[in-house]
mmCIF file of all heavy atoms in Angstrom:
data_model
loop_
_atom_site.group_PDB
_atom_site.id
_atom_site.type_symbol
_atom_site.label_atom_id
_atom_site.label_comp_id
_atom_site.label_asym_id
_atom_site.label_seq_id
_atom_site.Cartn_x
_atom_site.Cartn_y
_atom_site.Cartn_z
ATOM 1 N N GLY A 532 62.471 23.450 198.511
ATOM 2 C CA GLY A 532 61.058 23.496 198.126
ATOM 3 C C GLY A 532 60.520 24.905 198.252
ATOM 4 O O GLY A 532 61.309 25.850 198.613
ATOM 5 N N GLY A 533 59.241 25.031 197.980
ATOM 6 C CA GLY A 533 58.697 26.413 197.972
ATOM 7 C C GLY A 533 58.967 27.302 196.929
ATOM 8 O O GLY A 533 58.958 28.516 197.155
ATOM 9 N N ARG A 534 59.418 26.759 195.796
ATOM 10 C CA ARG A 534 59.953 27.658 194.680
ATOM 11 C C ARG A 534 58.824 28.476 194.118
ATOM 12 O O ARG A 534 59.130 29.693 193.797
ATOM 13 C CB ARG A 534 60.545 26.754 193.527
ATOM 14 C CG ARG A 534 61.766 26.069 193.965
ATOM 15 C CD ARG A 534 62.135 25.041 192.882
ATOM 16 N NE ARG A 534 61.093 24.014 192.729
ATOM 17 C CZ ARG A 534 60.970 23.168 191.708
ATOM 18 N NH1 ARG A 534 61.806 23.163 190.768
ATOM 19 N NH2 ARG A 534 59.959 22.263 191.755
ATOM 20 N N GLY A 535 57.659 28.034 193.989
ATOM 21 C CA GLY A 535 56.558 28.790 193.478
ATOM 22 C C GLY A 535 56.213 30.039 194.254
ATOM 23 O O GLY A 535 55.894 31.141 193.685
ATOM 24 N N LYS A 536 56.267 29.957 195.611
ATOM 25 C CA LYS A 536 55.966 31.083 196.461
ATOM 26 C C LYS A 536 57.180 31.927 196.747
ATOM 27 O O LYS A 536 57.058 32.911 197.440
ATOM 28 C CB LYS A 536 55.314 30.524 197.740
ATOM 29 C CG LYS A 536 53.916 29.993 197.468
ATOM 30 C CD LYS A 536 53.335 29.466 198.721
ATOM 31 C CE LYS A 536 51.970 28.849 198.548
ATOM 32 N NZ LYS A 536 51.371 28.365 199.742
ATOM 33 N N GLY A 537 58.392 31.427 196.243
ATOM 34 C CA GLY A 537 59.633 32.141 196.595
ATOM 35 C C GLY A 537 59.637 33.567 195.828
ATOM 36 O O GLY A 537 58.812 33.850 194.890
ATOM 37 N N LYS A 538 60.690 34.286 196.195
ATOM 38 C CA LYS A 538 60.930 35.633 195.598
ATOM 39 C C LYS A 538 62.374 35.710 195.138
ATOM 40 O O LYS A 538 63.315 35.332 195.818
ATOM 41 C CB LYS A 538 60.543 36.726 196.454
ATOM 42 C CG LYS A 538 58.999 36.853 196.879
ATOM 43 C CD LYS A 538 58.204 37.351 195.622
ATOM 44 C CE LYS A 538 56.776 37.486 195.906
ATOM 45 N NZ LYS A 538 55.930 37.858 194.725
ATOM 46 N N PHE A 539 62.637 36.377 193.992
ATOM 47 C CA PHE A 539 63.965 36.691 193.625
ATOM 48 C C PHE A 539 64.462 38.006 194.255
ATOM 49 O O PHE A 539 63.693 39.072 194.143
ATOM 50 C CB PHE A 539 64.012 36.817 192.062
ATOM 51 C CG PHE A 539 63.962 35.464 191.346
ATOM 52 C CD1 PHE A 539 62.723 34.990 190.944
ATOM 53 C CD2 PHE A 539 65.057 34.659 191.261
ATOM 54 C CE1 PHE A 539 62.613 33.781 190.262
ATOM 55 C CE2 PHE A 539 64.925 33.422 190.597
ATOM 56 C CZ PHE A 539 63.754 33.024 190.073
ATOM 57 N N ARG A 540 65.586 37.882 194.887
ATOM 58 C CA ARG A 540 66.032 39.110 195.628
ATOM 59 C C ARG A 540 66.366 40.214 194.728
ATOM 60 O O ARG A 540 66.140 41.414 195.088
ATOM 61 C CB ARG A 540 67.420 38.623 196.351
ATOM 62 C CG ARG A 540 68.018 39.802 197.170
ATOM 63 C CD ARG A 540 69.365 39.329 197.890
ATOM 64 N NE ARG A 540 68.980 38.292 198.841
ATOM 65 C CZ ARG A 540 69.851 37.269 198.969
ATOM 66 N NH1 ARG A 540 71.013 37.126 198.337
ATOM 67 N NH2 ARG A 540 69.569 36.358 199.956
ATOM 68 N N GLU A 541 66.888 39.974 193.448
ATOM 69 C CA GLU A 541 67.280 41.008 192.586
ATOM 70 C C GLU A 541 66.047 41.628 191.850
ATOM 71 O O GLU A 541 66.184 42.743 191.263
ATOM 72 C CB GLU A 541 68.225 40.520 191.522
ATOM 73 C CG GLU A 541 69.585 40.072 192.016
ATOM 74 C CD GLU A 541 69.502 38.597 192.571
ATOM 75 O OE1 GLU A 541 68.410 37.942 192.620
ATOM 76 O OE2 GLU A 541 70.612 38.059 193.060
ATOM 77 N N LEU A 542 64.885 41.106 191.962
ATOM 78 C CA LEU A 542 63.707 41.577 191.273
ATOM 79 C C LEU A 542 62.801 42.331 192.244
ATOM 80 O O LEU A 542 62.961 42.262 193.501
ATOM 81 C CB LEU A 542 63.005 40.505 190.640
ATOM 82 C CG LEU A 542 63.756 39.583 189.624
ATOM 83 C CD1 LEU A 542 62.981 38.431 188.994
ATOM 84 C CD2 LEU A 542 64.431 40.461 188.519
ATOM 85 N N GLY A 543 61.890 43.090 191.737
ATOM 86 C CA GLY A 543 60.947 43.765 192.594
ATOM 87 C C GLY A 543 60.010 42.914 193.394
ATOM 88 O O GLY A 543 59.863 41.625 193.104
ATOM 89 N N PRO A 544 59.326 43.406 194.418
ATOM 90 C CA PRO A 544 58.409 42.577 195.281
ATOM 91 C C PRO A 544 57.276 42.079 194.553
ATOM 92 O O PRO A 544 56.626 41.064 194.985
ATOM 93 C CB PRO A 544 58.012 43.643 196.308
ATOM 94 C CG PRO A 544 58.221 44.927 195.678
ATOM 95 C CD PRO A 544 59.376 44.811 194.816
ATOM 96 N N ASP A 545 56.867 42.648 193.317
ATOM 97 C CA ASP A 545 55.745 42.168 192.540
ATOM 98 C C ASP A 545 56.136 41.127 191.587
ATOM 99 O O ASP A 545 55.231 40.597 190.810
ATOM 100 C CB ASP A 545 54.960 43.430 191.941
ATOM 101 C CG ASP A 545 54.510 44.360 192.925
ATOM 102 O OD1 ASP A 545 54.087 43.866 194.012
ATOM 103 O OD2 ASP A 545 54.432 45.482 192.582
ATOM 104 N N ALA A 546 57.439 40.864 191.488
ATOM 105 C CA ALA A 546 57.957 39.867 190.438
ATOM 106 C C ALA A 546 57.428 38.411 190.782
ATOM 107 O O ALA A 546 57.213 38.082 192.046
ATOM 108 C CB ALA A 546 59.368 39.850 190.387
ATOM 109 N N LYS A 547 57.224 37.630 189.858
ATOM 110 C CA LYS A 547 56.776 36.180 190.079
ATOM 111 C C LYS A 547 57.850 35.319 190.784
ATOM 112 O O LYS A 547 58.969 35.802 190.764
ATOM 113 C CB LYS A 547 56.284 35.570 188.738
ATOM 114 C CG LYS A 547 55.082 36.283 188.178
ATOM 115 C CD LYS A 547 54.725 35.709 186.808
ATOM 116 C CE LYS A 547 53.573 36.438 186.094
ATOM 117 N NZ LYS A 547 53.300 35.946 184.747
ATOM 118 N N GLY A 548 57.409 34.142 191.205
ATOM 119 C CA GLY A 548 58.451 33.350 191.936
ATOM 120 C C GLY A 548 59.225 32.421 190.998
ATOM 121 O O GLY A 548 59.404 32.730 189.778
ATOM 122 N N GLY A 549 59.610 31.130 191.509
ATOM 123 C CA GLY A 549 60.466 30.345 190.798
ATOM 124 C C GLY A 549 59.704 29.329 189.873
ATOM 125 O O GLY A 549 60.403 28.502 189.334
ATOM 126 N N VAL A 550 58.450 29.374 189.868
ATOM 127 C CA VAL A 550 57.680 28.477 188.948
ATOM 128 C C VAL A 550 56.577 29.359 188.258
ATOM 129 O O VAL A 550 55.822 29.945 188.880
ATOM 130 C CB VAL A 550 56.955 27.293 189.724
ATOM 131 C CG1 VAL A 550 56.084 26.477 188.776
ATOM 132 C CG2 VAL A 550 57.868 26.494 190.499
ATOM 133 N N ARG A 551 56.792 29.519 186.923
ATOM 134 C CA ARG A 551 55.999 30.474 186.143
ATOM 135 C C ARG A 551 55.282 29.864 185.029
ATOM 136 O O ARG A 551 55.943 29.015 184.285
ATOM 137 C CB ARG A 551 56.931 31.639 185.687
ATOM 138 C CG ARG A 551 57.625 32.317 186.893
ATOM 139 C CD ARG A 551 58.446 33.539 186.275
ATOM 140 N NE ARG A 551 59.117 34.248 187.344
ATOM 141 C CZ ARG A 551 59.743 35.361 187.194
ATOM 142 N NH1 ARG A 551 59.761 35.897 185.994
ATOM 143 N NH2 ARG A 551 60.388 35.933 188.230
ATOM 144 N N LEU A 552 54.052 30.225 184.688
ATOM 145 C CA LEU A 552 53.389 29.939 183.510
ATOM 146 C C LEU A 552 53.791 30.838 182.331
ATOM 147 O O LEU A 552 53.904 32.044 182.514
ATOM 148 C CB LEU A 552 51.911 30.002 183.655
ATOM 149 C CG LEU A 552 51.309 28.828 184.637
ATOM 150 C CD1 LEU A 552 49.770 29.137 184.844
ATOM 151 C CD2 LEU A 552 51.577 27.439 184.135
ATOM 152 N N ALA A 553 53.955 30.326 181.138
ATOM 153 C CA ALA A 553 54.187 31.061 180.026
ATOM 154 C C ALA A 553 53.356 30.681 178.915
ATOM 155 O O ALA A 553 53.138 29.566 178.571
ATOM 156 C CB ALA A 553 55.727 30.940 179.576
ATOM 157 N N LYS A 554 52.700 31.617 178.141
ATOM 158 C CA LYS A 554 51.782 31.403 177.185
ATOM 159 C C LYS A 554 52.271 31.523 175.722
ATOM 160 O O LYS A 554 51.565 31.603 174.786
ATOM 161 C CB LYS A 554 50.521 32.244 177.341
ATOM 162 C CG LYS A 554 49.808 31.963 178.699
ATOM 163 C CD LYS A 554 48.539 32.821 178.917
ATOM 164 C CE LYS A 554 47.801 32.555 180.194
ATOM 165 N NZ LYS A 554 46.636 33.387 180.395
ATOM 166 N N SER A 555 53.589 31.879 175.703
ATOM 167 C CA SER A 555 54.225 32.055 174.358
ATOM 168 C C SER A 555 55.716 31.811 174.512
ATOM 169 O O SER A 555 56.227 31.873 175.693
ATOM 170 C CB SER A 555 53.924 33.436 173.821
ATOM 171 O OG SER A 555 54.625 34.420 174.635
ATOM 172 N N LEU A 556 56.422 31.671 173.439
ATOM 173 C CA LEU A 556 57.900 31.557 173.433
ATOM 174 C C LEU A 556 58.534 32.739 173.956
ATOM 175 O O LEU A 556 59.530 32.755 174.611
ATOM 176 C CB LEU A 556 58.455 31.165 172.117
ATOM 177 C CG LEU A 556 58.029 29.760 171.520
ATOM 178 C CD1 LEU A 556 58.506 29.601 170.056
ATOM 179 C CD2 LEU A 556 58.450 28.702 172.397
ATOM 180 N N ASP A 557 57.937 34.015 173.680
ATOM 181 C CA ASP A 557 58.469 35.200 174.164
ATOM 182 C C ASP A 557 58.441 35.223 175.695
ATOM 183 O O ASP A 557 59.326 35.788 176.359
ATOM 184 C CB ASP A 557 57.570 36.344 173.531
ATOM 185 C CG ASP A 557 58.010 36.643 172.004
ATOM 186 O OD1 ASP A 557 59.064 36.143 171.672
ATOM 187 O OD2 ASP A 557 57.198 37.254 171.441
ATOM 188 N N GLU A 558 57.284 34.768 176.274
ATOM 189 C CA GLU A 558 57.203 34.669 177.729
ATOM 190 C C GLU A 558 58.166 33.778 178.271
ATOM 191 O O GLU A 558 58.712 34.023 179.420
ATOM 192 C CB GLU A 558 55.763 34.420 178.071
ATOM 193 C CG GLU A 558 54.788 35.509 177.879
ATOM 194 C CD GLU A 558 53.439 35.257 178.498
ATOM 195 O OE1 GLU A 558 53.258 34.397 179.306
ATOM 196 O OE2 GLU A 558 52.492 36.027 178.162
ATOM 197 N N VAL A 559 58.427 32.558 177.638
ATOM 198 C CA VAL A 559 59.507 31.695 178.082
ATOM 199 C C VAL A 559 60.798 32.423 178.162
ATOM 200 O O VAL A 559 61.521 32.302 179.156
ATOM 201 C CB VAL A 559 59.519 30.436 177.173
ATOM 202 C CG1 VAL A 559 60.707 29.565 177.526
ATOM 203 C CG2 VAL A 559 58.230 29.635 177.260
ATOM 204 N N GLU A 560 61.121 33.099 177.128
ATOM 205 C CA GLU A 560 62.380 33.775 177.100
ATOM 206 C C GLU A 560 62.477 34.864 178.164
ATOM 207 O O GLU A 560 63.529 34.963 178.772
ATOM 208 C CB GLU A 560 62.528 34.571 175.707
ATOM 209 C CG GLU A 560 63.931 35.210 175.564
ATOM 210 C CD GLU A 560 64.068 35.859 174.173
ATOM 211 O OE1 GLU A 560 63.195 35.625 173.315
ATOM 212 O OE2 GLU A 560 65.092 36.470 173.906
ATOM 213 N N SER A 561 61.459 35.743 178.343
ATOM 214 C CA SER A 561 61.569 36.719 179.338
ATOM 215 C C SER A 561 61.579 36.186 180.752
ATOM 216 O O SER A 561 62.348 36.704 181.529
ATOM 217 C CB SER A 561 60.362 37.724 179.216
ATOM 218 O OG SER A 561 59.160 36.971 179.410
ATOM 219 N N ASN A 562 60.927 35.158 181.065
ATOM 220 C CA ASN A 562 60.982 34.507 182.321
ATOM 221 C C ASN A 562 62.326 33.854 182.541
ATOM 222 O O ASN A 562 62.912 34.009 183.675
ATOM 223 C CB ASN A 562 59.896 33.426 182.434
ATOM 224 C CG ASN A 562 58.494 33.993 182.710
ATOM 225 O OD1 ASN A 562 58.347 35.013 183.329
ATOM 226 N ND2 ASN A 562 57.475 33.368 182.060
ATOM 227 N N ALA A 563 62.851 33.207 181.552
ATOM 228 C CA ALA A 563 64.199 32.621 181.733
ATOM 229 C C ALA A 563 65.205 33.602 182.033
ATOM 230 O O ALA A 563 66.164 33.576 182.794
ATOM 231 C CB ALA A 563 64.521 31.844 180.410
ATOM 232 N N ARG A 564 65.175 34.798 181.304
ATOM 233 C CA ARG A 564 66.148 35.884 181.520
ATOM 234 C C ARG A 564 66.057 36.428 182.884
ATOM 235 O O ARG A 564 67.080 36.794 183.445
ATOM 236 C CB ARG A 564 65.746 37.008 180.435
ATOM 237 C CG ARG A 564 66.968 37.859 180.058
ATOM 238 C CD ARG A 564 66.739 38.766 178.913
ATOM 239 N NE ARG A 564 66.484 38.027 177.669
ATOM 240 C CZ ARG A 564 67.415 37.557 176.916
ATOM 241 N NH1 ARG A 564 68.755 37.689 177.303
ATOM 242 N NH2 ARG A 564 67.190 36.922 175.838
ATOM 243 N N GLU A 565 64.847 36.539 183.494
ATOM 244 C CA GLU A 565 64.635 37.101 184.793
ATOM 245 C C GLU A 565 65.139 36.069 185.902
ATOM 246 O O GLU A 565 65.654 36.501 186.948
ATOM 247 C CB GLU A 565 63.133 37.363 185.141
ATOM 248 C CG GLU A 565 62.680 38.694 184.519
ATOM 249 C CD GLU A 565 61.306 38.999 185.016
ATOM 250 O OE1 GLU A 565 60.734 38.269 185.892
ATOM 251 O OE2 GLU A 565 60.812 40.097 184.738
ATOM 252 N N MET A 566 65.097 34.800 185.586
ATOM 253 C CA MET A 566 65.328 33.836 186.647
ATOM 254 C C MET A 566 66.816 33.322 186.670
ATOM 255 O O MET A 566 67.449 33.308 187.786
ATOM 256 C CB MET A 566 64.495 32.567 186.459
ATOM 257 C CG MET A 566 62.940 32.913 186.583
ATOM 258 S SD MET A 566 61.875 31.666 185.871
ATOM 259 C CE MET A 566 61.911 30.423 187.100
ATOM 260 N N LEU A 567 67.394 33.147 185.507
ATOM 261 C CA LEU A 567 68.789 32.629 185.473
ATOM 262 C C LEU A 567 69.812 33.620 186.077
ATOM 263 O O LEU A 567 69.716 34.769 185.745
ATOM 264 C CB LEU A 567 69.180 32.299 184.093
ATOM 265 C CG LEU A 567 68.690 30.927 183.540
ATOM 266 C CD1 LEU A 567 68.957 30.779 182.045
ATOM 267 C CD2 LEU A 567 69.349 29.733 184.282
ATOM 268 N N GLY A 568 70.628 33.118 186.969
ATOM 269 C CA GLY A 568 71.684 33.959 187.588
ATOM 270 C C GLY A 568 71.189 34.738 188.678
ATOM 271 O O GLY A 568 71.997 35.453 189.406
ATOM 272 N N ASN A 569 69.889 34.800 189.083
ATOM 273 C CA ASN A 569 69.355 35.520 190.184
ATOM 274 C C ASN A 569 69.179 34.655 191.323
ATOM 275 O O ASN A 569 69.179 33.447 191.233
ATOM 276 C CB ASN A 569 68.090 36.249 189.762
ATOM 277 C CG ASN A 569 68.355 37.458 188.992
ATOM 278 O OD1 ASN A 569 69.428 38.080 189.070
ATOM 279 N ND2 ASN A 569 67.362 37.977 188.243
ATOM 280 N N THR A 570 68.934 35.162 192.508
ATOM 281 C CA THR A 570 68.887 34.495 193.833
ATOM 282 C C THR A 570 67.427 34.275 194.274
ATOM 283 O O THR A 570 66.785 35.223 194.465
ATOM 284 C CB THR A 570 69.614 35.219 194.910
ATOM 285 O OG1 THR A 570 71.019 35.478 194.532
ATOM 286 C CG2 THR A 570 69.656 34.378 196.184
ATOM 287 N N LEU A 571 67.031 33.034 194.275
ATOM 288 C CA LEU A 571 65.694 32.683 194.742
ATOM 289 C C LEU A 571 65.680 32.395 196.200
ATOM 290 O O LEU A 571 66.376 31.566 196.664
ATOM 291 C CB LEU A 571 65.215 31.500 193.923
ATOM 292 C CG LEU A 571 63.751 31.072 194.200
ATOM 293 C CD1 LEU A 571 62.712 32.159 193.903
ATOM 294 C CD2 LEU A 571 63.395 29.745 193.351
#
């Protein structure tokens, strides 16, 4: 639990957590690229 408030170790401190809103397909792609394979 707590995915939304979590942080990805490989990303910067200002990066979003494990639950993200996306307003376009491009944002879906960029968020997926940041999240997959990284440690939450």
